[in-house]
Amino acid sequence: MGPLRWQVAAAAAVGLALAMEALLPVLRWLLAARASLELCLFAFSSPQLGRAVQLLHQRGVRVRVVTDCDYMALNGSQIGLLRKAGIQVRHDQDLGYMHHKFAIVDKKVLITGSLNWTTQAIQNNRENVLIMEDEEYVKLFLEEFERIWEEFNPA
Amino acid sequence: MGPLRWQVAAAAAVGLALAMEALLPVLRWLLAARASLELCLFAFSSPQLGRAVQLLHQRGVRVRVVTDCDYMALNGSQIGLLRKAGIQVRHDQDLGYMHHKFAIVDKKVLITGSLNWTTQAIQNNRENVLIMEDEEYVKLFLEEFERIWEEFNPA
Ligand SMILES: [Zn+2]
Ligand SMILES: [Zn+2]
C-alpha cells in the first residue's frame, strides 16, 4: 500500500493514490450532488458507486449516464441496475470505445482521471483521479457530455 | 467526426476531442522537451509517439518510462524499441494494472487523461487529454512518478 496523497484547496481537490484510496473522496463528492449528475463512463461495475448513483436518483437528483456498448453487456455491469431504477442511460453503437471516465456534479465539480468505475480497478490498480471545482474544465467536459448525449440518442 | 475543442490559455491547455485530434497537440508539447521527460503509461504502441520519444532521447533529453508488465509484452508495443534505443524503462511485476497515462515535460507541463498511447485508442476512441502548466498538478504527478520509479526498481 502506497501513501495517500490528497490535497484539497478551495478551488481544487487533486487525488493521486492507489485506486482504493480514491474511492472514498469520489463517493463523498458524488453524494454532495443536489441537482444534477452527468456520468460519462467507459465501464461501471463498482457496487458502491452504483448504490451511490441510485441513492442520488432517489433523492431527486437528475442523473444522466453515457457508457460504452462493449462493456455494459459484461457480467457485473451496473448499467442494467441503473436502467431498472429508472435512470437515463445512453450508449454508443460502434466499435470504438467511449473511453472517458468522468462525472460532473451539480455542473460545478469535475471528477476525471484514469480510473474506470470497476471493482477490479478500485481494488488492484494504480490510478489517478482529479477532482476539480473549476469553471473552465467543467464547461469543457459538460460540452463533451452534451455532444455525446445527443450523438448517442437512439431516437 | 466531432468538432475539435482545444482551449489554450496562458496557464493551461485543455483538450477534449476525438482521440485522433489530440495526437497533434500531445506531440507538439512532447517535442518541446529540452531537459527531461517522465512517461507513466499503461500501454504504449503508437509509432508516432514512439518516434517522438526516441527523437527526444537522441537530443539528450533525459527520458524515463514506467509501464505495465501486462501490456508491454503484447504485439506492437513500443517498449522494446525504446529499450533498444537505450531509454530507461521500468515496469511492475504484479497482477494489478499500472493504469496511469501521463507524461511530464521538463518538470513543467503535465499531459494526462483517459488516452492510452495506442494506435487503437488514437484512431478509434473518444478520449480526453488535459495539458496543464500548473505547478501543483505537476508536483503531485511527479511525486507519483518518483514513487513508482523506486517501487519498480529491479535492483
Ligand atoms: Zn463501443
Ligand atoms: Zn501489471
Side-chain angles (χ1 to χ4, degrees):
Chain A
M1 295 283 292
L4 173 61
R5 310 278 167 126
W6 286 96
Q7 292 210 353
V8 182
V14 181
L16 265 167
L18 292 187
M20 217 181 310
E21 299 163 336
L23 181 62
L24 226 60
V26 169
L27 276 172
R28 195 187 121 224
W29 285 85
L30 274 186
L31 290 170
R34 290 295 169 263
S36 64
L37 178 66
E38 282 81 30
L39 297 178
C40 195
L41 298 171
F42 170 57
F44 192 171
S45 72
S46 160
Q48 290 109 314
L49 289 165
R51 275 194 295 272
V53 171
Q54 290 208 35
L55 188 67
L56 292 172
H57 172 66
Q58 286 159 18
R59 269 200 216 148
V61 172
R62 186 193 181 200
V63 179
R64 291 183 294 166
V65 182
V66 294
T67 192
D68 192 274
C69 60
D70 301 288
Y71 194 91
M72 64 183 270
L74 294 191
N75 236 341
S77 171
Q78 288 286 313
I79 297 297
L81 296 173
L82 298 185
R83 279 196 158 140
K84 259 183 222 154
I87 293 170
Q88 292 179 282
V89 179
R90 294 182 182 178
H91 60 83
D92 68 323
Q93 311 239 11
D94 56 32
L95 289 171
Y97 289 140
M98 197 302 294
H99 200 238
H100 292 301
K101 317 99 172 39
F102 71 80
I104 302 168
V105 179
D106 287 344
K107 300 191 170 27
K108 279 191 183 150
V109 177
L110 170 66
I111 302 171
T112 191
S114 64
L115 180 69
N116 288 314
W117 287 25
T118 65
T119 304
Q120 145 70 26
I122 291 167
Q123 289 184 350
N124 303 316
N125 291 1
R126 200 125 200 169
E127 306 272 2
N128 63 77
V129 181
L130 307 181
I131 303 178
M132 307 161 105
E133 282 187 274
D134 180 291
E135 261 183 58
E136 189 194 3
Y137 283 92
V138 167
K139 185 169 171 287
L140 283 163
F141 279 75
L142 197 55
E143 283 171 2
E144 173 75 351
F145 181 90
E146 298 293 357
R147 273 195 297 277
I148 296 176
W149 185 251
E150 287 315 313
E151 195 183 304
F152 292 2
N153 191 343
Chain B
M1 295 285 292
L4 174 61
R5 311 276 168 126
W6 285 95
Q7 291 211 354
V8 183
V14 181
L16 265 166
L18 292 186
M20 216 181 311
E21 299 163 335
L23 181 62
L24 227 59
V26 169
L27 277 172
R28 195 188 121 223
W29 285 85
L30 275 186
L31 290 171
R34 290 292 170 265
S36 63
L37 177 67
E38 282 82 29
L39 297 178
C40 196
L41 299 172
F42 170 57
F44 193 170
S45 73
S46 159
Q48 289 109 316
L49 289 164
R51 273 194 296 271
V53 171
Q54 290 207 37
L55 187 68
L56 292 172
H57 172 66
Q58 287 160 16
R59 268 201 217 147
V61 172
R62 187 193 180 201
V63 179
R64 292 184 293 165
V65 181
V66 294
T67 193
D68 191 273
C69 60
D70 301 288
Y71 194 90
M72 64 184 269
L74 295 191
N75 235 341
S77 170
Q78 288 286 313
I79 297 296
L81 296 174
L82 298 185
R83 279 196 160 138
K84 258 182 227 157
I87 293 170
Q88 292 179 281
V89 179
R90 295 183 181 177
H91 61 83
D92 67 325
Q93 311 238 11
D94 56 32
L95 289 170
Y97 288 141
M98 199 301 293
H99 201 238
H100 292 300
K101 313 101 173 38
F102 70 80
I104 301 168
V105 179
D106 286 344
K107 301 192 170 28
K108 279 193 182 149
V109 177
L110 170 66
I111 301 171
T112 191
S114 63
L115 181 70
N116 288 315
W117 288 24
T118 65
T119 304
Q120 145 70 26
I122 291 167
Q123 290 185 348
N124 303 316
N125 291 0
R126 201 128 198 165
E127 307 272 2
N128 62 78
V129 181
L130 306 182
I131 303 177
M132 306 160 105
E133 281 186 274
D134 178 292
E135 261 183 57
E136 189 194 3
Y137 282 92
V138 167
K139 184 168 171 287
L140 284 163
F141 279 76
L142 197 56
E143 284 171 3
E144 173 75 351
F145 182 89
E146 297 294 356
R147 274 195 296 278
I148 296 176
W149 185 250
E150 285 317 313
E151 195 183 304
F152 293 0
N153 191 342

